[in-house]
Amino acid sequence: MKIPPETVQKWAITISEQINAIASKYSGAVLLQKKLKDVEPIIRIEDVDGARLVLEFADEIERMLGSKMKSMKVSLKYTAEDADLYHEYNASLQFDYFNALLVNTMDEEGNFIELGGEFPLEENEHFNKLSVNTLMSDIQVPTNVYNKDPDILNGVYMSEALNDVFIGNFQKDPTLTWQYFGSSTGFFRLYPGIKWTPDSNGVVSFDCRNRNWYIQAATSPKDIVIVVDVSGSMKGLKMTIAKHTINTILDTLGENDFVNVIAYTDYVRYVEPCFKGTLVQADLDNREHFKLLVEELHVKGEAKVKKAMKESFRILGSLCNQAIMLITDGAMEDFQSVFEEFNWPDKKVRVFTYLIGRDMTFSENVKWIACNNKGYYTHISTLADVQENVMEYLHVLSRPMVINHDHDIIWTEAYMDSVVTHSLLLMTSVAMPVFSKKKETLSHGILLGVVGTDIPLLEVMKLAPRYKLGAHGYAFLITNNGYILAHPDLRPLYSDGKKLKPKPNYNSVDLSEAEWEDTEDNLRTAMVKGKTGTLTLDVRAAVDKGKRPFFLKNDYFYTTINETPFSFGMVLTRGHGQYMFFGNVSVEEGLHDLQQPDLTIADEWTYCETDIDPHHRKLTQLQAVVRYLTGKEPDLECDEILLQQVLFDAVVTAPLEAYWTALTVDEGMESAFLGTRSGLMRVIRYAGSEKRVGKRFLTPVDKENLFTVDHFPIWYRLAAENKPGQFFFYVPHDDINKGAQKVIVKWICCNVTVHRLHSTREILMSILIHLCFSQDVNCYLVDNNGFTLVSKEKGDVGKFFGEIDGSVMAQLLKSGLFKRVTLYDYQAMCKNAHHHTSGARPLFLLEFNICGLWHSDYVVDAHRQKKVELMQPCNTEYPGFMYDTSIRETNSIIKCGRCQKMFVLQQVPNSNLVMLVVQADCDCILNSFEHNATVKCNRMKSQKIRRRPESCHAYHPHENAKDCGGTPTRNLWVISPTL
């Protein structure tokens, strides 16, 4: 069968005329162009000075973080230390306090139980809508710590003084969130007070001393070698306790620490051969990897500790705190010579020893090792002993800092606090240690605990307003280790069934994994070193679930945030990202148009600051803007530049509301809307929600199509890269309405205002069927990224064309009409087919010979089919596709065994579409795809440039090193079932 190319060309022209007529009619594009032409004399365009802007943003962030730090440093720390100084320890103290687990709990007779008195709680918008008590803090105690132990009672009584300080801080700075004191004895004082919820087993496993903010504040950076005895005598319960001890030590490490794990019998082996002879960063990836390998340890042979100790000393460097953690059930060798050779007389490496099991035969030997190397000895006979005994080493390492009264302020990496605040929002904590100032115990270096406060990173990033950065511009924050605190491409959550969960490595995503075009790490290195500068990169960006790639030239600007370990960066895209426009209108005129029912503004943006005054917190941004401009709330702090822009946009776009309302609407049209750089949107719904196919579209849950703190809407970004004045058509990815068949039409005018139309496919389908009615051919409209808008088969809509006809797509790729763009995702989650003993994340190369799927859909679908398969972090390489617009038409014949298939491609003028007419009576079947996985050992072993914290407290001449353990620890509260 022959398909005449000239006929297809006529069809394409006809389709172009009809779809552009529809788009022009319902969008009101001509009217908007005319209005912009009318106001052109009052518009001024200014260059965006990125070098100046990055410093302005950084100063704002520095002031904001500095105010939080000051609240903690000036008031909390001094109050806690003075309270301890004037408190006399009372071993028989009786004192009732509000226990967060027990508050508001009554017995069967209706009386409040002990430690569970009446504690008023009220839902508070500022604290994640949790029920809190802003007039009082309360106390959380882990299940394994007795809540009326004398140490606990004295500490709680002493720290009551913090209550007034918490309240005062919050009154002075209503943007503060959680404030707290974590005690070295195990209790946690939290403000505002809450009702604590135990886990599903009724246990409170949360221990503040395991939190990163506590550990970082309590000690300087640490280099740790964990040495574990796996000889035959360690079998059974001993080995179980030893593994738990290793895991607990690993949990006390953070991204500023380095670690390795060595197992020994009569020979020495690294639990991870990849890490032989070196220390690796104790980030979450590496810690979790060590835990998996430790679980696989088996006992055999005879213990020879001497070789293991020598190997440990060899791999330790000379940076800050160094320690060896020896876990064994006994030491019989003559090991003194090892310490004489490697550690004496300076004793720069501390040795902590953990005697495992009930047998005390070799306890003196094991204690001698610790006491003669400035360490600490503990005896662990049960699993319940592990937590408290492991924590002792932190107190020893903190001694020099405590004696010298060096109150280092620390900032944590990004984390989610799903335990305390039940939030999946990222935050950072600022914390500092609290010391005993009593002279009689000064040489003991007693750490009382750590005070801190949390800062939501979303609030920090609001200080770099989106409207100043343009459609593709963005801001980001990283730590001194190069890990991302905030970045629009950071995806910390993944879907596990219907639940969103944090990825295992969500807070150790390196900048190079988001900015992967920075292949030489020039940007990362400069930022980690705390430099100020600029860099230009050609980048491949992708939107719409990574399906739609485009090429950008980005200018990166970066600087350091003083008094923190953080660096701030921002991106401006060449072209529209380099400019801002300004237009003046009167407040009266703008207010009138701003209050029309079809208009909204970006509620995640800060037009006016509503979080300072509690009375303003229930206001939407639009309500706050209107109240400020009408003089009803003159005390609101508002962004005058942004208000000027949104008022101008409201006036310029106002005629569209009347235009849309007056239209006679054809069946199938659902919505018309527009968006502007100021975050303003106008939306008109032609169909009620019950009739709309896209029920989720442009609703508050449809984040990808709204203006957010992180990004402009997908449709705005796509239109910004489209040819000015030309409509852009595509089918949106819709997670909820899978059956929705709708087409989005977008248009950009003057590189300023985006305009868009939303309709069902039936309109385009009727045009196509009218032209292409033959049963002998299949006709398709395909967009510039290879996705199908219109087909005779309803199920084809939204699919990549290679899935529908792989043979034709392969020919289009071969001839260069579509070009493959290689993209990478270093934050993907893949099914865990088998355990990779190399320890690296697998790199999944998703090769499709018809290039028909993209990585995320394949991975998720595989997971759904096999529920038992766990998901694990992985790196993926996947293809995107772009049409070469310089090629207007082509036709070809494909040989398919016994038949030949002809197809004709014709560009649809004035659009981003092509028309494909394919012979229907010849079926070419190709294999769908090949999937290969490779793993690399060096990913985790390789050390990128990082900036260690400057302060280090490893030595003090007045330290009392004789306090090296062996005495009973305080009582533990152990819960066991009643038989």
Side-chain angles (χ1 to χ4, degrees):
M1 176 187 176
K2 181 173 174 58
I3 305 172
E6 59 274 12
T7 301
V8 178
Q9 184 181 40
K10 290 179 182 177
W11 291 350
I13 292 171
T14 302
I15 285 177
S16 172
E17 291 171 350
Q18 295 197 33
I19 63 174
N20 277 286
I22 292 170
S24 182
K25 172 184 175 181
Y26 287 100
S27 68
V30 175
L31 177 63
L32 186 58
Q33 275 183 314
K34 182 179 181 304
K35 181 65 178 178
L36 283 165
K37 191 72 176 174
D38 292 343
V39 298
E40 198 172 279
I42 64 170
I43 293 176
R44 75 180 194 277
I45 296 176
E46 294 183 2
D47 292 340
V48 178
D49 185 346
R52 178 185 58 81
L53 197 59
V54 73
L55 295 177
E56 287 180 4
F57 288 165
D59 285 344
E60 286 290 318
I61 293 171
E62 186 180 320
R63 274 194 290 273
M64 187 252 211
L65 297 181
S67 69
K68 314 303 180 194
M69 182 171 61
K70 186 178 179 181
S71 297
M72 177 202 60
K73 181 179 179 181
V74 174
S75 50
L76 291 179
K77 187 264 297 183
Y78 287 120
T79 301
E81 291 186 347
D82 286 347
D84 174 73
L85 180 63
Y86 298 112
H87 172 73
E88 290 188 17
Y89 187 89
N90 180 358
S92 58
L93 177 67
Q94 296 296 315
F95 173 66
D96 284 338
Y97 61 89
F98 287 109
N99 184 302
L101 180 67
L102 305 176
V103 292
N104 298 331
T105 304
M106 293 183 175
D107 58 23
E108 294 177 354
E109 297 176 359
N111 300 314
F112 289 108
I113 65 172
E114 189 177 27
L115 304 183
E118 184 177 3
F119 194 73
L121 297 169
E122 186 177 343
E123 185 179 299
N124 193 303
E125 186 87 18
H126 183 65
F127 293 97
N128 306 322
K129 296 185 177 179
L130 288 176
S131 294
V132 300
N133 185 330
T134 55
L135 299 178
M136 203 173 298
S137 61
D138 59 2
I139 304 295
Q140 178 268 340
V141 184
T143 299
N144 69 319
V145 175
Y146 179 40
N147 58 28
K148 297 196 76 175
D149 182 278
D151 287 354
I152 298 292
L153 291 177
N154 277 269
V156 171
Y157 181 81
M158 174 274 293
S159 65
E160 285 280 293
L162 292 173
N163 241 335
D164 290 340
V165 180
F166 288 146
I167 296 167
N169 283 342
F170 188 49
Q171 289 173 346
K172 290 176 194 171
D173 180 3
T175 65
L176 276 174
T177 57
W178 306 95
Q179 303 173 69
Y180 41 82
F181 169 65
S183 167
S184 61
T185 59
F187 74 83
F188 180 54
R189 181 179 287 278
L190 179 66
Y191 175 87
I194 63 170
K195 171 71 175 176
W196 201 278
T197 306
D199 64 21
S200 56
N201 298 315
V203 174
V204 178
S205 58
F206 176 89
D207 190 324
C208 63
R209 296 167 298 176
N210 280 339
R211 308 298 279 185
N212 215 4
W213 51 264
Y214 184 99
I215 294 162
Q216 285 187 44
T219 62
S220 300
K222 307 174 285 297
D223 290 347
I224 302 285
V225 180
I226 302 172
V227 181
V228 58
D229 179 353
V230 290
S231 64
S233 63
M234 288 285 289
K235 66 181 180 181
L237 180 60
K238 286 184 182 179
M239 198 65 226
T240 302
I241 295 171
K243 289 177 179 179
H244 186 40
T245 302
I246 295 172
N247 290 343
T248 305
I249 294 171
L250 288 171
D251 285 337
T252 66
L253 305 179
E255 60 184 40
N256 289 321
D257 305 318
F258 276 72
V259 67
N260 209 331
V261 182
I262 292 175
Y264 73 92
T265 53
D266 51 355
Y267 66 96
V268 174
R269 71 178 179 93
Y270 289 83
V271 296
E272 173 51 88
C274 280
F275 301 160
K276 183 176 182 180
T278 189
L279 296 172
V280 294
Q281 193 171 4
D283 59 25
L284 188 63
D285 269 354
N286 287 344
R287 297 199 309 267
E288 292 304 311
H289 178 60
F290 274 127
K291 289 179 182 179
L292 288 174
L293 297 174
V294 165
E295 197 57 40
E296 296 175 359
L297 290 176
H298 300 286
V299 298
K300 63 177 179 178
E302 183 181 352
K304 300 287 185 182
V305 71
K306 206 169 182 178
K307 292 179 183 177
M309 295 302 288
K310 283 184 177 182
E311 184 65 19
S312 301
F313 280 114
R314 287 191 186 106
I315 64 173
L316 283 168
S318 57
L319 293 173
C320 207
N321 282 303
Q322 301 170 79
I324 296 171
M325 316 302 233
L326 176 62
I327 301 168
T328 181
D329 64 347
M332 294 179 287
E333 293 177 86
D334 177 17
F335 33 73
Q336 182 170 331
S337 61
V338 177
F339 303 122
E340 289 173 346
E341 179 182 354
F342 290 97
N343 206 35
W344 292 352
D346 295 334
K347 300 180 181 177
K348 290 183 178 179
V349 178
R350 297 179 188 264
V351 183
F352 296 88
T353 56
Y354 302 89
L355 182 65
I356 305 297
R358 299 187 182 279
D359 189 352
M360 300 288 288
T361 305
F362 300 103
S363 62
E364 287 304 314
N365 287 359
V366 177
K367 182 178 179 180
W368 184 93
I369 293 173
C371 292
N372 284 277
N373 290 279
K374 294 176 70 174
Y376 200 87
Y377 156 79
T378 58
H379 176 216
I380 304 177
S381 57
T382 69
L383 286 168
D385 297 338
V386 172
Q387 178 69 38
E388 290 296 321
N389 284 301
V390 166
M391 298 309 296
E392 292 292 346
Y393 97 87
L394 292 175
H395 302 149
V396 174
L397 290 185
S398 70
R399 284 176 187 165
M401 177 176 65
V402 177
I403 296 169
N404 212 38
H405 277 257
D406 292 314
H407 292 89
D408 291 340
I409 294 170
I410 66 93
W411 296 83
T412 68
E413 77 280 12
Y415 73 98
M416 297 176 196
D417 200 345
S418 56
V419 178
V420 179
T421 64
H422 306 285
S423 171
L424 293 178
L425 293 176
L426 288 170
M427 62 178 69
T428 182
S429 294
V430 56
M432 66 189 306
V434 176
F435 309 139
S436 171
K437 297 195 292 187
K438 293 176 179 177
K439 292 182 180 179
E440 61 269 24
T441 58
L442 187 61
S443 66
H444 293 269
I446 296 176
L447 175 74
L448 298 175
V450 172
V451 290
T453 185
D454 295 340
I455 301 116
L457 288 164
L458 185 67
E459 298 304 314
V460 178
M461 298 314 292
K462 284 182 179 179
L463 299 175
R466 292 288 319 158
Y467 76 95
K468 291 186 178 181
L469 302 175
H472 303 304
Y474 55 89
F476 58 97
L477 271 175
I478 66 168
T479 69
N480 55 300
N481 290 300
Y483 293 143
I484 293 173
L485 282 163
H487 192 293
D489 290 336
L490 178 65
R491 305 192 315 277
L493 303 173
Y494 76 103
S495 296
D496 183 14
K498 293 183 178 179
K499 278 190 175 182
L500 282 177
K501 290 185 177 180
K503 294 177 182 176
N505 59 321
Y506 75 90
N507 61 355
S508 58
V509 177
D510 195 88
L511 180 64
S512 60
E513 296 176 327
E515 301 290 348
W516 46 265
E517 292 282 22
D518 181 27
T519 53
E520 301 298 319
D521 276 353
N522 293 325
L523 174 67
R524 183 192 182 281
T525 299
M527 292 187 69
V528 165
K529 289 183 175 180
K531 293 183 177 180
T532 297
T534 184
L535 177 75
T536 300
L537 289 174
D538 292 309
V539 302
R540 287 161 284 180
V543 297
D544 199 14
K545 307 288 185 185
K547 295 190 301 184
R548 302 183 182 278
F550 42 79
F551 294 93
L552 304 172
K553 184 177 281 291
N554 284 346
D555 290 321
Y556 291 80
F557 303 88
Y558 52 86
T559 190
T560 189
I561 305 294
N562 295 321
E563 305 297 321
T564 77
F566 305 150
S567 288
F568 172 76
M570 63 172 234
V571 173
L572 295 175
T573 301
R574 293 282 176 92
H576 44 75
Q578 296 175 283
Y579 310 103
M580 284 186 66
F581 81 94
F582 300 88
N584 284 315
V585 296
S586 69
V587 171
E588 291 75 17
E589 185 182 11
L591 259 176
H592 175 269
D593 292 327
L594 196 63
Q595 297 181 76
Q596 298 306 307
D598 68 321
L599 186 146
T600 60
I601 60 177
D603 215 43
E604 286 191 16
W605 291 14
T606 306
Y607 299 81
C608 293
E609 181 56 72
T610 57
D611 205 34
I612 296 175
D613 187 336
H615 295 100
H616 296 151
R617 285 181 184 147
K618 292 187 178 180
L619 294 176
T620 66
Q621 282 296 311
L622 184 56
Q623 289 169 339
V625 167
V626 171
R627 292 184 72 82
Y628 173 74
L629 292 174
T630 54
K632 293 179 179 177
E633 297 285 354
D635 295 332
L636 275 166
E637 294 182 13
C638 298
D639 186 330
E640 298 291 345
I641 296 174
L642 182 54
L643 292 192
Q644 180 187 359
Q645 291 198 352
V646 80
L647 286 174
F648 177 78
D649 289 348
V651 171
V652 170
T653 61
L656 270 298
E657 192 265 341
Y659 175 85
W660 287 336
T661 304
L663 280 176
T664 302
V665 182
D666 294 323
E667 182 71 25
M669 303 304 298
E670 289 197 2
S671 309
F673 55 95
L674 63 82
T676 74
R677 182 164 170 164
S678 66
L680 176 146
M681 286 184 64
R682 287 186 182 273
V683 182
I684 187 167
R685 302 290 196 181
Y686 293 125
S689 59
E690 69 285 350
K691 292 183 179 180
R692 285 200 300 270
V693 178
K695 298 185 187 302
R696 178 178 184 264
F697 187 66
L698 293 184
T699 63
V701 296
D702 185 22
K703 295 289 187 184
E704 290 191 339
N705 285 310
L706 300 177
F707 292 91
T708 70
V709 173
D710 281 336
H711 56 72
F712 277 54
I714 289 174
W715 44 268
Y716 194 113
R717 296 184 67 188
L718 288 171
E721 291 309 303
N722 195 34
K723 185 178 178 181
Q726 179 176 291
F727 289 106
F728 186 99
F729 302 81
Y730 83 109
V731 177
H733 186 284
D734 196 325
D735 285 326
I736 294 176
N737 300 301
K738 295 293 184 184
Q741 308 295 331
K742 54 183 182 275
V743 174
I744 301 300
V745 185
K746 303 189 303 300
W747 172 79
I748 186 165
C749 171
C750 313
N751 226 7
V752 172
T753 304
V754 175
H755 193 100
R756 187 174 178 233
L757 170 78
H758 174 215
S759 72
T760 56
R761 64 185 282 272
E762 278 69 24
I763 295 172
L764 292 179
M765 187 66 202
S766 63
I767 298 171
L768 194 68
I769 290 175
H770 176 72
L771 295 170
C772 188
F773 56 85
S774 171
Q775 296 297 315
D776 298 326
V777 294
N778 290 323
C779 297
Y780 308 93
L781 283 182
V782 177
D783 69 24
N784 58 309
N785 296 120
F787 294 96
T788 308
L789 271 79
V790 182
S791 166
K792 291 178 180 178
E793 297 296 327
K794 186 177 178 180
D796 291 345
V797 176
K799 282 186 178 179
F800 181 68
F801 184 69
E803 294 181 68
I804 300 166
D805 196 325
S807 60
V808 173
M809 192 67 206
Q811 186 65 29
L812 294 176
L813 284 165
K814 186 177 179 181
S815 60
L817 273 84
F818 276 89
K819 297 185 182 301
R820 176 190 173 113
V821 180
T822 300
L823 299 166
Y824 300 93
D825 183 359
Y826 295 98
Q827 301 174 64
M829 295 290 288
C830 303
K831 64 175 184 177
N832 187 7
H834 59 279
H835 177 56
H836 300 283
T837 55
S838 73
R841 288 192 208 169
L843 173 65
F844 285 90
L845 302 173
L846 303 186
E847 295 288 346
F848 306 97
N849 67 343
I850 60 168
C851 305
L853 299 175
W854 56 97
H855 72 296
S856 59
D857 278 356
Y858 166 67
V859 171
V860 173
D861 286 344
H863 181 49
R864 285 176 186 151
Q865 291 166 9
K866 296 185 178 181
K867 296 281 187 180
V868 295
E869 292 177 326
L870 299 175
M871 303 292 281
Q872 67 171 4
C874 61
N875 302 335
T876 60
E877 174 186 305
Y878 66 101
F881 302 93
M882 297 179 72
Y883 176 68
D884 184 349
T885 55
S886 66
I887 303 173
R888 296 186 178 278
E889 58 188 15
T890 191
N891 62 84
S892 183
I893 294 175
I894 304 170
K895 293 182 179 180
C896 296
R898 297 180 181 178
C899 64
Q900 295 185 125
K901 175 189 287 191
M902 183 180 182
F903 72 88
V904 176
L905 178 144
Q906 180 70 48
Q907 195 175 112
V908 177
N910 299 315
S911 76
N912 63 311
L913 305 178
V914 295
M915 185 175 186
L916 267 167
V917 181
V918 183
Q919 188 175 334
D921 58 359
C922 179
D923 190 16
C924 290
I925 299 175
L926 296 180
N927 294 329
S928 58
F929 62 86
E930 295 177 1
H931 170 249
N932 299 307
T934 61
V935 293
K936 294 183 179 179
C937 177
N938 62 359
R939 180 192 175 274
M940 294 173 75
K941 187 175 180 180
S942 64
Q943 302 295 328
K944 288 182 177 289
I945 290 176
R946 60 192 291 276
R947 174 165 46 106
R948 276 193 108 145
E950 294 177 3
S951 63
C952 176
H953 311 285
Y955 171 77
H956 196 286
H958 297 147
E959 177 187 344
N960 179 15
K962 293 180 181 178
D963 181 8
C964 58
T967 55
T969 58
R970 67 174 181 279
N971 294 330
L972 299 181
W973 187 250
V974 182
I975 304 296
S976 60
T978 302
L979 299 180

